[in-house]
Amino acid sequence: MMDILMYLFETYIQSDVELLVDQDELSDELSRAGFHQDDIYKALNWLEKLAALQETENIPYMNNSAITSIRVYIPQEMARMDVTCRGFLTYLEQIHVLSADTREMVIDRVMELETSDFVLDDLKWIILMVLFNAPGNENAYTQMEELLYGAEDGYIH
């Protein structure tokens, strides 16, 4: 499923191509690209749930946490995200790329993946997708891109 999400993100979202195709057309295209129908359905459902995180106020973790609060991971989260992944999330919070809300969105999306092979690179993709889809996080998205890809153009001071 991560392959499909990365393909969609690179092809449609990150490349600024307008996503005007309907879900059936998209599903057909992904099938032609060699992805299995079951995985396509799961990936599209995952993306719908990501979009839904922006549209609801009924999610309990989507509240303004105190700046002194500490995130305690449950055993299932620790099994999915190793210490490197959890440390990276903490680092991104410390440099203000992630807020408590966007961190929780990332964790929510990570836990929805059906994989046992989750690594730091996968987490970085999920973070990019969440930040891209979370209104008001344009600067954080840009910072995350710079962290991942480095400044390709611009001036070095």
Side-chain angles (χ1 to χ4, degrees), residues 21-99:
V21 295
D22 67 14
Q23 194 165 0
D24 291 333
E25 287 179 41
L26 192 56
S27 181
D28 290 344
E29 179 185 333
L30 291 169
S31 290
R32 286 189 301 273
F35 297 111
H36 297 287
Q37 192 62 39
D38 189 45
D39 291 334
I40 293 168
Y41 172 77
K42 289 175 186 176
L44 294 176
N45 188 40
W46 187 94
L47 288 170
E48 285 179 16
K49 288 181 180 179
L50 173 60
L53 287 176
Q54 317 309 317
E55 300 170 2
T56 184
E57 296 175 9
N58 298 328
I59 299 174
Y61 59 74
M62 300 300 279
N63 55 25
N64 292 323
S65 302
I67 201 158
T68 57
S69 65
I70 296 173
R71 176 60 156 89
V72 177
Y73 292 89
I74 61 173
Q76 295 90 336
E77 293 168 341
M78 291 190 300
R80 174 69 48 90
M81 296 182 294
D82 64 13
V83 70
T84 306
C85 291
R86 295 189 312 265
F88 189 67
L89 287 175
T90 301
Y91 168 71
L92 292 178
E93 273 189 275
Q94 291 171 344
I95 64 170
H96 304 289
V97 170
L98 291 178
S99 66

Side-chain angles (χ1 to χ4, degrees), residues 63-139:
N63 55 25
N64 292 323
S65 302
I67 201 158
T68 57
S69 65
I70 296 173
R71 176 60 156 89
V72 177
Y73 292 89
I74 61 173
Q76 295 90 336
E77 293 168 341
M78 291 190 300
R80 174 69 48 90
M81 296 182 294
D82 64 13
V83 70
T84 306
C85 291
R86 295 189 312 265
F88 189 67
L89 287 175
T90 301
Y91 168 71
L92 292 178
E93 273 189 275
Q94 291 171 344
I95 64 170
H96 304 289
V97 170
L98 291 178
S99 66
D101 289 346
T102 54
R103 176 201 62 219
E104 291 304 314
M105 287 181 200
V106 168
I107 294 169
D108 179 83
R109 295 294 76 219
V110 167
M111 296 309 293
E112 281 287 319
L113 293 172
E114 293 181 6
T115 182
S116 58
D117 299 336
F118 190 77
V119 295
L120 182 60
D121 285 339
D122 295 335
L123 177 63
K124 291 174 182 178
W125 279 99
I126 299 299
I127 293 166
L128 277 176
M129 290 178 211
V130 167
L131 291 175
F132 184 86
N133 284 287
N137 286 289
E138 293 80 14
N139 289 337

Side-chain angles (χ1 to χ4, degrees), residues 134-149:
N137 286 289
E138 293 80 14
N139 289 337
Y141 177 82
T142 302
Q143 282 181 283
M144 186 64 190
E145 273 190 321
E146 289 174 4
L147 281 172
L148 294 180
Y149 305 121

